[in-house]
Amino acid sequence: MLPPPHRPAGRRGFTLLELLVVLVIVGLLAGFVGPRLFAQLGKSEVKVARAQIDALGKALDQYRLDIGRYPDSAQGLAALQAAPGDESRWQGPYLAKALPPDPWGRPYLYRSPGEHGEYDLYTLGRDGAPGGEGDNADLGNW
């Protein structure tokens, strides 16, 4: 076995060329991985919104079984947490935790009677504006 090459004192470390090659490789990896990672982040927000809308829909269904109707638009989703003043058959709260905001930090929108069914429960997506495509699309229970 050969002894390691002898370097003079103070000459240890990487050369500038070696550092540049490593930086180029790291930059290329970040260029390939970064966009795919952020695309997945947008998809996960949509999945969370769909799951929350489904859970809120189940709570609304339980409310309807107890009261005989869905809360009206004026009562809103708050009726799942606190008894409306005129409801003697209320058996809630119908949610184990506080009413969650949508994944973009805004409250879910509720309308009863709805345009798409007995009620509409929806979020306006990432952009917060009606319509849109992709992550900006409206998501609802319809």
Side-chain angles (χ1 to χ4, degrees):
M1 190 156 123
L2 297 172
H6 177 69
R7 290 189 178 177
R11 303 275 300 169
R12 293 189 175 152
F14 299 105
T15 66
L16 180 59
L17 182 61
E18 291 169 329
L19 289 175
L20 287 174
V21 168
V22 168
L23 287 174
V24 166
I25 292 171
V26 168
L28 288 171
L29 287 174
F32 287 119
V33 173
R36 293 173 194 221
L37 179 67
F38 288 116
Q40 292 302 319
L41 179 63
K43 288 179 185 176
S44 67
E45 289 172 334
V46 169
K47 287 180 183 177
V48 167
R50 289 190 193 283
Q52 287 178 333
I53 287 171
D54 184 55
L56 291 172
K58 288 178 181 170
L60 285 165
D61 290 341
Q62 185 62 46
Y63 179 96
R64 181 176 179 243
L65 287 174
D66 290 345
I67 305 298
R69 62 173 178 77
Y70 290 108
D72 60 31
S73 294
Q75 293 169 326
L77 295 175
L80 298 175
Q81 288 295 109
D86 59 341
E87 298 296 346
S88 61
R89 296 183 297 177
W90 191 82
Q91 301 289 316
Y94 297 96
L95 296 173
K97 297 180 180 178
L99 191 63
D102 71 11
W104 301 278
R106 292 182 301 273
Y108 283 98
L109 303 172
Y110 175 76
R111 180 175 44 220
S112 178
E115 294 176 6
H116 302 279
E118 292 186 69
Y119 67 89
D120 290 346
L121 176 60
Y122 61 103
T123 179
L124 298 176
R126 183 174 43 144
D127 64 355
E133 296 180 9
D135 294 343
N136 293 330
D138 299 350
L139 300 170
N141 64 323
W142 52 87

